[in-house]
Amino acid sequence: MALAFRLLPGALSALVLALVIGGALGGVLSVAGRIDMAALLGDAYVLGILRFTVWQAFLSAALSVVIAIPVARALVRRQRFPGRALLIRLLGLPMVIPTIVGVLGLVAVYGRSGAINDLLAMAGTGARLDIYGLGGILIAHVFFNMPFATRLLLQGWAGIPGESFRLASQLGMTGGQIFRLIEWPMLRQIAPGVAGLVFLICFTSFSIVLVLGGGPPNATLEVAIYQALRFDFDLARVVAFGVLQVGLCALIVGAGHRLARSVPVELGLARDMPRPDLAAPAGRIGDAAAIAFAALMVLLPLAAIVASGVSGDAWGAATRAPLWFAALRSLAVGLCAGLLSCLIGAGLVLTARELGVRYRRPGLATAIELGGSLILVVPPFVIGAGLFILVQPVADVFAIGLVFVVIVNALMGLPFALRILMPPAMEVHERHLRLADGLGITGLTRLRLVDWPLLRRPLGLALALTTALSLGDFGVIALFGTRHNQTLPYLLYQQMGSYRMADAATTALILVGLCLALFIVIERGIGGRGHDRA
């Protein structure tokens, strides 16, 4: 088989990426040439937006990781309490539920008419909690990112050899000594990378800041791009914010690669060694408090979503035609974006594994994988704004807005698809390349007999995840959405904005149900019956 044919899938995927991302950046730069960028970047308003973006991301990352450390440590120390496995699974829910739905749940708990303020009023304290502003943004970012940080830190603890705790028992170490001498060195390696990742997520936050920010003083760069494009049509500021966003994201991603450390998980000979510090009363109380806090932080908003969604006139709200038209559009957007993302990702993976395994060029394979993650450097809102500027002179961007939503969401899911598909595809190629070549198994026959049985599970997971994320995304549809092409997240935002909270709760519950159902159906349908035994 010719080298050119083996590189063709990756070349086609790279061409799609170059056309979309290059076209969007071209649209932004075409306007930048007519603008005094130096004056704009020195503008007090622009600098104020930049300061707030960095400040809220820093506070959110710090709070998320600082809270996640005792939670992860408590989960590691207490291996046998009832509901531990369920709690760890529930910690994954904030990562997959749509952001706009999570925000609605937080408003139901911490909002002006929420459960916390009701308790404060019953207690007669006179104090009121206001979720709109920096405080609300931080609460929401902790809700979404603390569980994520906890799961990453759990992997770090899993990498500590069990022999270390056996030695600690023999030496009679206290809990403080174990933390200082055994756990802190691991945290010094892992925590900065986790904090950097959370910082990047919060730096590009859109839905949370748009809903809970409370106005322009609390806007991030992404919200400022949205406001400048949709309300002011101020292309100069769109370009200024876009240039800042791309430049700073490139710096953050570069720093993140330097901070990130891989953690070997299977180092010890005996992994379930009992710790000598479990019986101390202070440790018991601290662990219980950390676990209870994490459980309440995650479960209260989720319970509020379910309770609000089935209360009141839920049946009336659920039978309205606009809701189901929006649901059909969301399904179409999610499925098209998921398929496109996996097709682009599969093309890059096929070429990368040929270069990495057959031709022993791991550097080129890594470069292809990094190329597929360009969306981390060029945020989706900048791509959306660039496409808007590029197409707006020749076509009605809102009439074809859903096409842009599909394309940008597909690129947003691409890094996840690559992370899921690349390692098993490399491993399968490494194991079976020589045997398949020796038996003359090539092309579609090889795909059917060798690749499909071994890669269908990761492919099912990648498609399920990218589809569910695209279905629940509110960021890009906010830029291109109108009442004629609204999806469920867009409809939910409009209902919240017009204070139709009962309707919003029903929409949120249906949106979450669709995301979870679609995820399960796709993962099980493609992954096969053996998925649960894996």
Side-chain angles (χ1 to χ4, degrees):
M1 189 180 292
L3 172 63
F5 187 74
R6 292 194 176 104
L7 301 185
L8 183 61
L12 292 175
S13 296
L15 179 63
V16 173
L17 291 177
L19 287 175
V20 176
I21 297 178
L25 290 177
V28 171
L29 294 176
S30 67
V31 178
R34 307 193 297 269
I35 296 172
D36 185 355
M37 289 297 296
L40 270 174
L41 294 177
D43 184 82
Y45 174 72
V46 175
L47 292 178
I49 294 290
L50 177 60
R51 275 195 298 271
F52 180 78
T53 304
V54 174
W55 180 235
Q56 63 83 24
F58 171 77
L59 290 178
S60 299
L63 284 173
S64 298
V65 175
V66 166
I67 295 173
I69 288 174
V71 174
R73 187 169 187 257
L75 289 172
V76 169
R77 283 159 53 92
R78 309 295 164 185
Q79 297 277 338
R80 300 185 185 281
F81 69 87
R84 180 181 181 274
L86 177 62
L87 177 60
I88 292 177
R89 289 187 179 183
L90 288 174
L91 288 177
L93 272 183
M95 291 184 281
V96 296
I97 65 170
T99 307
I100 191 75
V101 174
V103 170
L104 180 67
L106 290 168
V107 170
V109 175
Y110 303 100
R112 295 189 179 99
S113 302
I116 300 295
N117 276 325
D118 287 346
L119 289 175
L120 291 174
M122 290 173 59
T125 61
R128 302 285 293 174
L129 183 64
D130 185 6
I131 197 173
Y132 296 100
L134 179 60
I137 293 171
L138 297 180
I139 290 174
H141 280 161
V142 170
F143 168 75
F144 282 103
N145 295 303
M146 180 272 291
F148 175 56
T150 298
R151 290 171 71 99
L152 292 180
L153 291 172
L154 282 174
Q155 296 179 27
W157 255 285
I160 299 177
E163 288 75 16
S164 298
F165 295 109
R166 175 188 294 172
L167 182 61
S169 298
Q170 293 171 346
L171 296 176
M173 287 186 180
T174 64
Q177 290 171 326
I178 291 175
F179 181 79
R180 181 166 57 86
L181 298 175
I182 298 176
E183 295 169 324
W184 178 244
M186 177 275 296
L187 287 172
R188 286 180 60 188
Q189 283 192 324
I190 304 301
V194 175
L197 190 55
V198 175
F199 181 90
L200 179 62
I201 294 172
C202 299
F203 185 81
T204 56
S205 178
F206 172 73
S207 305
I208 291 171
V209 180
L210 181 66
V211 177
L212 300 179
N218 295 328
T220 57
L221 286 171
E222 296 233 347
V223 173
I225 291 174
Y226 166 74
Q227 291 171 336
L229 198 57
R230 284 300 301 260
F231 299 118
D232 306 327
F233 202 67
D234 186 343
L235 294 183
R237 280 191 169 165
V238 170
V239 171
F241 292 135
V243 170
L244 279 174
Q245 182 91 330
V246 172
L248 290 172
C249 282
L251 287 175
I252 295 168
V253 171
H257 276 291
R258 294 182 65 85
L259 289 174
R261 298 284 188 275
S262 60
V263 183
V265 176
E266 298 294 341
L267 285 178
L269 299 176
R271 299 210 37 75
D272 293 327
M273 293 299 296
R275 297 170 56 120
D277 58 339
L278 295 181
R284 287 176 178 270
I285 295 172
D287 292 344
I291 291 170
F293 178 83
L296 290 175
M297 186 79 200
V298 172
L299 292 180
L300 282 180
L302 298 179
I305 292 169
V306 176
S308 302
V310 298
S311 63
D313 187 21
W315 176 251
T319 53
R320 288 172 188 146
L323 178 90
W324 292 105
F325 282 124
L328 290 175
R329 292 190 197 96
S330 294
L331 282 172
V333 166
L335 288 170
C336 291
L339 284 171
L340 182 59
S341 185
C342 286
L343 281 175
I344 297 173
L348 294 174
V349 167
L350 287 173
T351 295
R353 74 176 190 173
E354 288 290 334
L355 290 171
V357 178
R358 185 184 295 276
Y359 297 104
R360 299 297 173 187
R361 299 291 182 89
L364 288 176
T366 303
I368 289 176
E369 184 177 1
L370 291 177
S373 302
L374 267 180
I375 194 74
L376 299 176
V377 177
V378 187
F381 238 80
V382 174
I383 294 178
L387 294 175
F388 190 105
I389 294 171
L390 193 68
V391 177
Q392 184 263 340
V394 296
D396 181 357
V397 292
F398 298 110
I400 55 174
L402 289 184
V403 176
F404 294 128
V405 174
V406 168
I407 293 172
V408 179
N409 271 293
L411 297 191
M412 290 168 63
L414 189 55
F416 297 101
L418 286 174
R419 294 291 176 89
I420 294 170
L421 292 174
M422 189 69 81
M426 286 287 189
E427 185 180 345
V428 168
H429 213 45
E430 187 79 48
R431 286 184 180 180
H432 302 286
L433 175 65
R434 290 185 178 178
L435 180 60
D437 284 352
L439 296 175
I441 302 175
T442 59
L444 292 178
T445 304
R446 177 172 177 170
L447 179 66
R448 180 171 58 86
L449 297 178
V450 179
D451 291 330
W452 174 248
L454 297 173
L455 296 178
R456 59 183 297 183
R457 279 177 39 218
L459 182 61
L461 176 60
L463 182 58
L465 184 61
T466 53
T467 300
L469 290 176
S470 302
L471 194 153
D473 177 64
F474 173 64
V476 187
I477 189 63
L479 200 58
F480 295 102
T482 68
R483 66 186 179 88
H484 299 295
N485 65 0
Q486 60 189 2
T487 59
L488 277 180
Y490 193 81
L491 175 64
L492 174 57
Y493 175 67
Q494 288 186 320
Q495 290 170 336
M496 291 173 67
S498 56
Y499 298 102
R500 294 158 51 201
M501 302 308 286
D503 290 349
T506 303
T507 303
L509 193 58
I510 291 174
L511 178 55
V512 171
L514 278 179
C515 285
L516 294 179
L518 203 60
F519 185 94
I520 293 171
V521 168
I522 293 175
E523 188 186 28
R524 300 287 174 88
I526 295 181
R529 297 174 61 186
H531 172 79
D532 288 338
R533 295 194 296 269

